[in-house]
Amino acid sequence: MPQACTYVVFGATGNLSLTKLMPAFYHLEEMGRLQEEVNILAIGRREWSREEWVKVAREAVSPKARGGINETVFKRFCDRLDYFQMDITDPAAYQALQKHVEDSNWSCNMAFYLSLGPDQFAGVVKQLGKSALLDETRGWKRVVLEKPFGYDSDSAKQLQLQLNQYLKEEQTYRIDHYLGKGMVQNVMVFRFANLMMEPLWNRNYIDHIQITHAEDKPIGTRAGYYDTSGAMRDMIQSHLLQLLALVAMEPPASMDAEDLRDEKVKLLKSIRSISKNNVNSQAYRAQYSEGTVNGKAVPAYLDEPGVADDSVTETYAALKVYIDNWRWAGVPFYIQTGKNMPKNKTLVSICFKHPPKQFFRDSQVKKMEPNWIVFGIQPEESIWIEMTAKQPGLEINTQQMSLNATMKKEGEQSNDAYEELLLDVIKGDRSLFLRYDEVKAAWKVVDPILQAWASDASYIDTYPSGSWGPAGSSKLFDSADQGWRYSLKTEGL
């Protein structure tokens, strides 16, 4: 159950807070999910008054509010807001922060959301610990960390060692907003709540599985972060490997947080290591060149503000992995992500094998299509199943037919993933947050690729903005029958 809580948001004036966190808090207020004793304290460097912060918060919430701002709801929301100006590198400021919370007579249960750069995590947690703000003798204390958690395995380990000095694992909430998406959770429900799926969910029936995340936007103002990160770190190491884990893991003993996370870790550890010799056959990278997206001409990545002229940072990354366990031995998993593609789209596509004998193949010229189950994660929230059936008429000619379960009505807006995750922090539900061994296992998968790419800075493939990525990524597929799928609906359906 939600409890009384003081939510302290570091970096509250930054982009993440204004575009995601404040609108999410507002919608929780609108849904009546926040206890009366929940207060939201924004931390920033600017010398703002509370009234100035409320005005900024309103400007942030207005374009995101579903159906427009409800003034009654917004007044209740504003009553929760406060602003505290501080330099997060100043130890004395944390004592002042503690005094401000005590003087305000707010709840001793405190959640610290670090909407900051990852290089600032350790320093802030250190000061919180030294000032006794993480002491749980009076109320619980929880710290929410945004991705990325480290830059590779070694940096993640060093960060964890620093955090361990002041923070217990059960106090640590490593957030991955992808896990808060309704359709991501629906993957688990579809698998584990339907008995007819479990006998088919293995190497005997599934040919391959694809996970595609496409964005129709460039890097925007994120060059400072993105040009040192790239698509492999930004999307695959975190979000998409988590999605793979949910698709492929064994049924957990229960839906409790630790049972669920145990199975995800077990799955990630089962991914076959990629040797340096196999990087070129199991991974592909590219960078968007100029082109047209949504009818507008857009520049190449190298022409974006803040990007180095000789950058070989990938804006597209694709990966093929194998899972060395009983269920998935020999089944390839293909993952890809890219920017400046034609549409925003996230799909999980499961392709089944052909029947042992295609009885009806002779009744038509083309080869019969395989069965598919496709999860539309965003923007289409849907489960799409493709099967073969007889065409109307006297002859036995086959056709591909589909069953479409749409999770969202036309015009209906979904809850943002941050709404559920912010609420889970208050409830103490860590099932949708990452444990350190999950982070460590995910870095282990991509580290060999990142090291190989870092040592080869002479060339990177390109793809036109507005296209579905580089043609060269098709070399990852194990057979000529396999290819990337970009939509719920295939041609001819």
Side-chain angles (χ1 to χ4, degrees):
M1 290 290 292
Q3 305 171 33
C5 168
T6 301
Y7 237 116
V8 181
V9 182
F10 286 87
T13 61
N15 182 68
L16 173 67
S17 171
L18 296 178
T19 60
K20 292 293 185 181
L21 304 186
M22 294 306 139
F25 278 125
Y26 169 81
H27 287 129
L28 289 173
E29 179 72 65
E30 189 174 43
M31 293 182 283
R33 301 302 300 274
L34 297 177
Q35 294 281 69
E36 186 176 341
E37 297 85 2
V38 172
N39 293 283
I40 303 164
L41 178 61
I43 304 294
R45 290 174 296 178
R46 296 175 175 87
E47 294 183 358
W48 284 349
S49 65
R50 179 184 178 279
E51 290 70 26
E52 287 174 309
W53 168 242
V54 168
K55 182 179 178 182
V56 170
R58 183 184 182 92
E59 292 172 353
V61 168
S62 292
K64 301 282 187 175
R66 296 188 282 267
I69 280 190
N70 180 309
E71 294 298 338
T72 302
V73 172
F74 192 77
K75 184 181 184 307
R76 293 202 310 268
F77 175 62
C78 284
D79 290 341
R80 303 182 186 276
L81 298 181
D82 197 5
Y83 182 82
F84 187 78
Q85 188 271 332
M86 67 178 281
D87 176 359
I88 62 174
T89 64
D90 180 9
Y94 292 82
Q95 300 294 337
L97 171 62
Q98 185 177 43
K99 185 176 186 305
H100 181 80
V101 172
E102 291 174 351
D103 290 347
S104 301
N105 199 28
W106 290 338
S107 172
C108 294
N109 295 329
M110 299 183 71
F112 300 95
Y113 198 114
L114 273 54
S115 181
L116 303 167
D119 57 323
Q120 298 175 302
F121 290 167
V124 171
V125 169
K126 177 181 178 180
Q127 295 304 331
L128 288 173
K130 284 193 167 185
S131 61
L133 280 164
L134 299 179
D135 186 356
E136 294 193 296
T137 53
R138 293 177 57 212
W140 50 255
K141 307 295 187 293
R142 295 164 186 161
V143 175
V144 186
L145 303 174
E146 271 286 343
K147 78 169 185 72
F149 192 86
Y151 187 75
D152 53 19
S153 292
D154 290 341
S155 60
K157 180 180 179 180
Q158 290 304 313
L159 174 57
Q160 185 61 33
L161 289 173
Q162 292 173 300
L163 297 181
N164 284 345
Q165 298 179 51
Y166 305 97
L167 201 59
K168 294 179 287 188
E169 178 64 29
E170 53 267 30
Q171 292 177 281
T172 309
Y173 288 68
R174 299 174 192 84
I175 197 166
D176 184 338
H177 73 269
Y178 246 64
L179 297 182
K181 293 181 181 294
M183 275 305 300
V184 171
Q185 296 167 50
N186 223 330
V187 171
M188 288 191 295
V189 174
F190 184 80
R191 284 194 59 193
F192 303 136
N194 297 295
L195 183 62
M196 65 179 182
M197 295 313 306
E198 179 57 26
L200 306 178
W201 216 259
N202 56 60
R203 69 187 187 282
N204 296 322
Y205 299 98
I206 291 178
D207 179 73
H208 71 277
I209 292 177
Q210 301 180 24
I211 298 175
T212 290
H213 173 79
E215 298 178 40
D216 64 356
K217 295 179 177 61
I219 60 163
T221 59
R222 301 175 68 211
Y225 159 74
Y226 200 91
D227 203 39
T228 58
S229 174
M232 183 65 74
R233 288 186 177 90
D234 188 49
M235 282 300 305
I236 292 182
Q237 184 275 335
S238 53
H239 305 319
L240 301 188
L241 283 180
Q242 282 292 314
L243 195 47
L244 180 148
L246 294 178
V247 170
M249 71 183 187
E250 295 299 315
S254 74
M255 293 308 290
D256 289 344
E258 295 313 307
D259 289 339
L260 177 61
R261 298 196 294 181
D262 284 346
E263 293 302 333
K264 286 197 293 175
V265 171
K266 190 188 302 182
L267 187 284
L268 291 170
K269 286 183 176 180
S270 299
I271 295 176
R272 185 187 304 169
S273 298
I274 299 174
S275 67
K276 287 186 177 180
N277 293 335
N278 289 336
V279 166
N280 287 336
S281 62
Q282 287 191 242
Y284 200 84
R285 63 174 173 169
Q287 199 178 80
Y288 63 77
S289 59
E290 61 184 9
T292 303
V293 179
N294 295 326
K296 295 182 179 179
V298 295
Y301 177 75
L302 294 180
D303 294 327
E304 298 281 11
V307 173
D309 293 340
D310 58 350
S311 172
V312 291
T313 298
E314 76 282 359
T315 62
Y316 172 93
L319 178 64
K320 174 174 65 177
V321 298
Y322 297 95
I323 298 170
D324 287 336
N325 63 16
W326 189 274
R327 182 185 292 266
W328 297 114
V331 177
F333 287 73
Y334 303 107
I335 307 171
Q336 67 167 344
T337 181
K339 290 187 174 295
N340 264 4
M341 288 183 155
K343 293 180 180 179
N344 279 324
K345 197 174 288 287
T346 304
L347 299 174
V348 176
S349 307
I350 293 97
C351 180
F352 288 82
K353 293 181 177 180
H354 287 287
K357 185 175 181 181
Q358 296 198 35
F359 293 100
F360 306 106
R361 183 176 176 182
D362 294 338
S363 67
Q364 56 192 40
V365 176
K366 70 171 187 175
K367 183 178 179 181
M368 287 171 59
E369 296 295 328
N371 300 139
W372 287 83
I373 296 177
V374 184
F375 295 91
I377 306 299
Q378 65 177 25
E380 309 104 326
E381 297 182 10
S382 181
I383 302 173
W384 181 277
I385 301 176
E386 291 176 6
M387 298 179 294
T388 301
K390 178 184 175 296
Q391 291 181 3
L394 300 177
E395 290 76 25
I396 299 183
N397 290 324
T398 61
Q399 66 178 352
Q400 198 83 341
M401 63 168 290
S402 65
L403 302 175
N404 181 16
T406 301
M407 302 292 134
K408 184 173 66 174
K409 297 177 182 177
E410 188 174 350
E412 184 180 17
Q413 290 182 296
S414 303
N415 291 341
D416 187 84
Y418 280 94
E419 295 167 24
E420 178 165 359
L421 296 171
L422 290 173
L423 198 60
D424 282 350
V425 174
I426 301 176
K427 294 189 291 186
D429 183 351
R430 300 168 68 222
S431 57
L432 298 179
F433 295 83
L434 308 187
R435 211 165 58 191
Y436 173 64
D437 51 356
E438 285 183 73
V439 176
K440 180 180 176 182
W443 276 122
K444 187 177 178 182
V445 174
V446 304
D447 267 352
I449 302 166
L450 295 172
Q451 290 165 9
W453 287 353
S455 64
D456 183 10
S458 59
Y459 171 78
I460 185 170
D461 194 8
T462 60
Y463 61 98
S465 292
S467 71
W468 284 115
S473 67
S474 61
K475 75 172 189 176
L476 299 182
F477 291 105
D478 280 357
S479 74
D481 291 340
Q482 298 172 351
W484 293 115
R485 179 164 181 151
Y486 293 102
S487 67
L488 286 171
K489 186 176 181 179
T490 53
E491 292 183 13
L493 280 177

